[in-house]
Amino acid sequence: MKLAKVLLSNGERHVAIVEENGVQLLDLSQVDNCHRLSDILYAPDPIGLAKFLIDTELPPVPLNQLEFLAPIDHQEVWAAGVTYKRSQVARMEESETAASHYDQVYTADRPELFFKATPNRVCGPNQPVRVRYDSQWSVPEPELALIVSPDLRLVGYTVGNDMSARDIEGENPLYLPQAKFYKDCCGLGPSVLLHENPLEREATKIILTIERGGEEVFQGETSVAEMARGLEDLISWLGKENDFPSGAVLLTGTGIVPPDEFTLEDRDIVSIEISGIGTLINPVVKDAAP
Ligand code: DO4
Ligand code: MG
């Protein structure tokens, strides 16, 4: 089952079950203390609860009569890095001085984890993700995103984009927060696939496509099987000496990095497809330097 936050043409926002051709709106007021999407995601039986909440008064809404919003409430967004060989190689090329750090973290027991975004910095489907005006070398990072409950259960999956300024990170690894954390730095959506069975990692393909002026300028593909770490293992590191009263979203690292000569430009279109989970499409915005 997939759940989403949607905006209807009359301006109403709802939580909904996503079906083949439309969404079924939910009436959260039927249950005490159920106010938002994450209250359903963190429930002991999210599928049973979502079915119970179906608003039988309302017919399904066709997909062309709504917008999907980022499937986030009050969660912090965190990210893991250098979890795929391709990312390790790309980072080592980015910075000669820091190469050994990336090399070591790829095989170390402790993963690289960093704070990625607050909800106000997250873009939903079709909202512009941003390239910093002070970066001349930026890329999208297409990543499987895990929805983690306050008690550190993996409850769902969505598509994530960890926008990254490679020149800023490459200049000095201490600049990582500036390379990664800024306004509109993260894409999430369009919906959350509830975690029912373990993910089939080989079959879960991630495809990144970038278009410029109607032409494809990059396409790359990987699968979650290429990731060198376990999903539950990443969550358990995230939870060490940390509390997430609102839960967390954890991006799991990129396995696709465009060639070094590639940088995103204003008005590029980034499309990230993860099989079985969804396709997240965002235009890119880059302002002129003030
Ligand atoms: O070390 C830098 C960040 C790595 C990252 O974001 C990734 O591998 O996806
Ligand atoms: Mg990343």
Side-chain angles (χ1 to χ4, degrees):
M1 177 186 281
K2 286 181 184 169
L3 297 178
K5 291 172 76 164
V6 297
L7 175 65
L8 305 186
S9 43
N10 63 6
E12 286 178 14
R13 287 160 188 256
H14 290 265
V15 177
I17 299 176
V18 183
E19 293 165 346
E20 188 74 12
N21 299 312
V23 305
Q24 186 68 61
L25 303 181
L26 304 184
D27 175 8
L28 276 56
S29 70
Q30 295 183 75
V31 169
D32 287 346
N33 299 322
C34 186
H35 306 292
R36 49 187 71 89
L37 171 62
S38 49
D39 293 331
I40 305 175
L41 297 174
Y42 303 159
D45 174 16
I47 295 179
L49 178 57
K51 285 184 180 162
F52 177 79
L53 293 173
I54 289 175
D55 194 334
T56 46
E57 306 275 289
L58 295 171
V61 182
L63 292 180
N64 61 5
Q65 289 177 25
L66 56 87
E67 283 173 39
F68 285 92
L69 303 170
I72 188 166
D73 295 318
H74 301 310
Q75 298 97 322
E76 294 175 352
V77 183
W78 287 71
V82 198
T83 52
Y84 290 78
K85 189 77 187 163
R86 176 69 188 111
S87 179
Q88 180 221 27
V89 169
R91 309 295 154 187
M92 290 176 73
E93 286 166 2
E94 221 165 70
S95 167
E96 258 174 43
T97 48
S100 65
H101 299 299
Y102 296 112
D103 194 23
Q104 285 164 26
V105 83
Y106 182 65
T107 49
D109 202 23
R110 181 189 292 274
E112 178 194 11
L113 290 173
F114 57 92
F115 189 76
K116 174 60 190 172
T118 46
N120 62 310
R121 292 179 171 86
V122 170
C123 307
N126 301 313
Q127 295 177 331
V129 288
R130 182 172 297 273
V131 168
R132 295 178 61 115
Y133 69 70
D134 54 354
S135 167
Q136 307 315 318
W137 187 26
S138 278
V139 291
E141 293 191 353
E143 306 190 9
L144 173 69
L146 311 179
I147 312 294
V148 181
S149 64
D151 56 352
L152 298 178
R153 286 176 297 120
L154 169 57
V155 298
Y157 308 93
T158 190
V159 180
N161 179 356
D162 171 23
M163 292 287 289
S164 300
R166 295 189 68 187
D167 47 356
I168 295 176
E169 181 188 341
E171 189 179 337
N172 186 324
L174 297 180
Y175 294 154
L176 183 85
Q178 294 173 75
K180 296 284 194 178
F181 185 99
Y182 55 92
K183 64 182 177 185
D184 311 323
C185 64
C186 179
L188 287 181
S191 58
V192 174
L193 172 71
L194 295 178
H195 171 65
E196 295 176 64
N197 302 305
L199 204 68
E200 286 182 39
R201 291 175 62 130
E202 188 67 53
T204 306
K205 306 281 181 212
I206 303 180
I207 300 171
L208 168 66
T209 309
I210 304 170
E211 284 180 24
R212 182 168 300 156
E215 306 268 304
E216 184 179 298
V217 287
F218 175 77
Q219 184 168 70
E221 178 175 334
T222 188
S223 90
V224 176
E226 298 296 315
M227 195 193 299
R229 295 186 185 264
L231 306 181
E232 307 281 356
D233 182 54
L234 288 176
I235 293 172
S236 90
W237 279 101
L238 181 70
K240 282 188 206 297
E241 287 292 4
N242 231 335
D243 291 325
F244 299 94
S246 303
V249 179
L250 176 59
L251 307 187
T252 55
T254 187
I256 304 172
V257 183
D260 287 356
E261 57 279 11
F262 181 88
T263 186
L264 281 175
E265 292 181 5
D266 189 42
R267 291 188 296 229
D268 283 355
I269 306 286
V270 176
S271 166
I272 302 170
E273 179 187 347
I274 305 188
S275 31
I277 299 177
T279 302
L280 174 66
I281 300 175
N282 298 96
V284 172
V285 67
K286 181 178 184 184
D287 290 340

